[in-house]
Amino acid sequence: MAEVCVLGLGYVGLPTASLLASAGFQVLGVDIDPEVVAALNEGRTKLRESGLATVVSAAFQSRNLVAATAPEPSHTFILCVPTPLDSRKGADLGAVRAAAQAIAPHLRPGNLVVLESTSPVGTTRGLVADILREGGLEPGRDFNLCYCPERVLPGNTFAELVNNDRVIGGFTPRCAEAARAIYQRFCQGKITLTDDLTAELTKLMENTYRDVNVALANSFARIAEDSGIDVWRAIELANLHPRVGILRPGPGVGGHCIPVDPWFLIEQFPQHGALLRAAREVNDGQGLRILDRLLAAGAVPPGSKLAILGAAYKADIDDPRESPAFLIAARARDAGIRVAIHDPHVAPGRHHGFQVSADLADTLAGAAAAVLVTEHRDYRCLSSKLFLENMQGRVIADCRNALNHTSLRLAGFRVVTTGVGEAETEVDAPRREMPLRSNRPEGEAIAGPSLS
Ligand code: SAJ
């Protein structure tokens, strides 16, 4: 009998299972995908992050970790399954439901069940508890039930799993204590106990905070673009204030967490969702802004080629999920533009309906314009010669302010940068007159409370 059964062998479940195995537990890792299970049992993993593959293969080699397609009786069950959005931007809890149903027949008195998947407030004591009760056992009395959100940053998963502080929310305080006994075997961060509802909201708040703050940076970028100001310099200066820490503008927010999680709160609490929804809309519209600027400048006429640099949703990772690159690509294709996408980390092949290539020269070949979406380390040192020799046009858009603009301009390129007004993109261009007047029609009052 396994001591711990981890359901879902994705980017959180597999490292967690491996760390538990390294800590000496007998772990059964469960995934519904037989190919994933077979590959893992043969010692193959798709994980390419530094440190992770080593921990995973060591866990399998030690035989403390074994993968299977169905759970078995165990002392502890940890659910690390995905919670994506459904077509109405609500939480799709199908995988959580299926995982709870799969463990229900194996549940015994004294067991511990932990949900890690990001979930709407109330999922642990609602959906999960209801399914587990069907076997006649009561959470808090007969078995322990907790919510313990993962907090790892993709790209730094292993270090964050070990070092980050964790919040454990118990259905009862005793449930939380039972989970602490397991997590403290591999987590070196501080473990704080609370109730399941608070822990669920905490996780959603963390990612919503990030989304709203990126949206704030993107809103500032738009203001700067309209004012002929360089937002990157302005942010640098604003961040000299001891209580200000503005994030970086960009092409919007990708990945499977931050563009998704705020919707869980918006769906559950629409009466308080205005700010959250506005942030989502700003971030979702951000990628298309750079394309609109290229279209407005006539840089990519129908029939021409646009080269997109970066398919991963953020720098130096291989994950293309929800990447703004594909939003830009789809809109460009709709406008009759031929699109080529390059990424040095994402597996070459089709993603989101587009071919991603690992050949940069080929991606740039004959392009009228190029747009940098992801600030991979490999791109930051690209020479202007590469663009010059391969591209047909002379326009480069930089969503991350990551390229060497001086060298590109000296080579004859026009550089369009997120957060930088057009006048600022020309060499030696005089600073455009600041629009001191607002865009409000003459005489219209500013809406807001009256001071009188
Ligand atoms: N981004 C910007 N500007 C910034 C920071 C980020 O445009 O200044 C963009 C990135 O390019 C990316 C997106 O935001 O497209 C999200 O990237 P991220 O690095 O902020 O976060 P994720 O999605 O990789 O991981 C987040 C983390 N949450 C927080 O930092 C609050 C991580 O700790 C969570 O565990 C993870 O979501 C998750 O699984 O929920």
Side-chain angles (χ1 to χ4, degrees):
M1 176 176 143
E3 290 167 292
V4 184
C5 176
V6 177
L7 289 98
L9 297 178
Y11 90 110
V12 172
L14 182 55
T16 303
S18 304
L19 279 173
L20 286 162
S22 311
F25 288 106
Q26 286 297 314
V27 183
L28 179 70
V30 174
D31 202 286
I32 54 167
D33 186 339
E35 280 179 26
V36 168
V37 169
L40 286 170
N41 283 330
E42 284 163 19
R44 287 179 284 121
T45 164
K46 284 186 187 162
L47 296 175
R48 284 162 57 185
E49 268 185 48
S50 70
L52 261 190
T54 319
V55 180
V56 172
S57 53
F60 277 95
Q61 269 166 22
S62 72
R63 301 298 297 161
N64 277 3
L65 175 58
V66 176
T69 51
E72 289 173 12
S74 177
H75 172 267
T76 296
F77 297 93
I78 301 181
L79 279 54
C80 300
V81 294
T83 47
L85 287 180
D86 63 21
S87 56
R88 293 175 301 108
K89 293 206 184 295
D92 176 353
L93 295 176
V96 173
R97 182 177 293 108
Q101 284 165 343
I103 63 171
H106 304 293
L107 197 63
R108 302 283 176 270
N111 282 175
L112 165 67
V113 178
V114 182
L115 176 64
E116 283 208 14
S117 317
T118 307
S119 301
V121 179
T123 303
T124 309
R125 64 176 59 196
L127 179 76
V128 175
D130 288 348
I131 292 170
L132 298 180
R133 270 192 193 102
E134 284 168 15
L137 299 181
E138 184 59 29
R141 186 191 70 194
D142 304 319
F143 70 97
N144 296 309
L145 178 63
C146 288
Y147 181 73
C148 177
E150 56 85 9
R151 283 176 156 174
V152 298
L153 197 68
N156 195 27
T157 302
F158 178 61
E160 298 225 346
L161 261 183
V162 173
N163 298 316
N164 284 1
D165 293 347
R166 286 197 87 126
V167 172
I168 296 179
F171 185 66
T172 65
R174 208 186 61 186
C175 294
E177 287 292 353
R180 190 206 322 245
I182 303 293
Y183 280 85
Q184 68 187 12
R185 291 279 292 271
F186 70 89
C187 173
Q188 291 170 15
K190 187 175 170 212
I191 297 177
T192 305
L193 307 188
T194 182
D195 62 85
D196 53 327
L197 292 174
T198 307
E200 286 164 341
L201 181 59
T202 300
K203 171 67 186 182
L204 294 173
M205 281 166 52
E206 289 166 4
N207 281 359
T208 301
Y209 169 88
R210 191 100 170 133
D211 194 43
V212 170
N213 277 286
V214 175
L216 184 64
N218 285 332
S219 296
F220 290 151
R222 294 176 185 198
I223 290 169
E225 284 163 19
D226 287 359
S227 317
I229 292 170
D230 180 339
V231 83
W232 302 90
R233 178 69 180 143
I235 289 176
E236 209 179 303
L237 298 177
N239 284 350
L240 293 175
H241 187 290
R243 284 175 295 284
V244 174
I246 300 167
L247 294 180
R248 294 168 66 82
V253 164
H256 53 290
C257 307
I258 298 196
V260 170
D261 302 349
W263 287 113
F264 292 5
L265 288 176
I266 297 167
E267 183 198 30
Q268 259 192 308
F269 307 98
Q271 68 278 30
H272 306 301
L275 176 65
L276 282 47
R277 182 184 284 276
R280 284 281 64 252
E281 283 166 3
V282 167
N283 287 337
D284 278 352
Q286 192 64 10
L288 300 183
R289 261 184 84 81
I290 200 92
L291 182 64
D292 287 345
R293 286 173 76 187
L294 292 179
L295 290 171
V300 273
S304 69
K305 176 177 171 182
L306 175 68
I308 294 180
L309 306 193
Y313 78 88
K314 66 176 187 177
D316 305 323
I317 65 166
D318 63 359
D319 189 343
R321 281 178 291 179
E322 309 298 325
S323 169
F326 299 100
L327 214 67
I328 297 172
R331 174 68 74 90
R333 188 168 57 188
D334 289 349
I337 297 160
R338 290 178 294 124
V339 175
I341 308 179
H342 171 267
D343 197 289
H345 302 299
V346 171
R350 284 197 88 70
H351 298 274
H352 296 282
F354 289 90
Q355 190 66 25
V356 175
S357 162
D359 185 336
L360 183 54
D362 189 53
T363 303
L364 291 172
V371 51
L372 180 130
V373 174
T374 318
E375 72 278 39
H376 289 311
R377 211 166 291 136
D378 306 46
Y379 291 152
R380 287 184 221 145
C381 51
L382 285 181
S383 77
S384 48
K385 197 160 159 265
L386 183 83
F387 293 102
L388 209 52
E389 283 176 355
N390 291 287
M391 287 174 64
Q392 199 174 64
R394 291 288 173 264
V395 181
I396 292 182
D398 186 352
C399 296
R400 306 278 190 173
N401 197 23
L403 297 169
N404 184 336
H405 296 183
T406 309
S407 120
L408 286 170
R409 288 199 187 103
L410 287 172
F413 283 94
R414 175 175 174 193
V415 183
V416 178
T417 312
T418 291
V420 181
E422 278 300 281
E424 295 292 297
T425 64
E426 306 298 336
V427 195
D428 295 333
R431 180 174 289 271
R432 187 146 62 85
E433 224 15 56
M434 259 294 292
L436 294 178
R437 283 178 296 108
S438 80
N439 290 330
R440 268 180 300 123
E442 204 93 354
E444 192 183 296
I446 301 173
S450 157
L451 293 178
S452 56

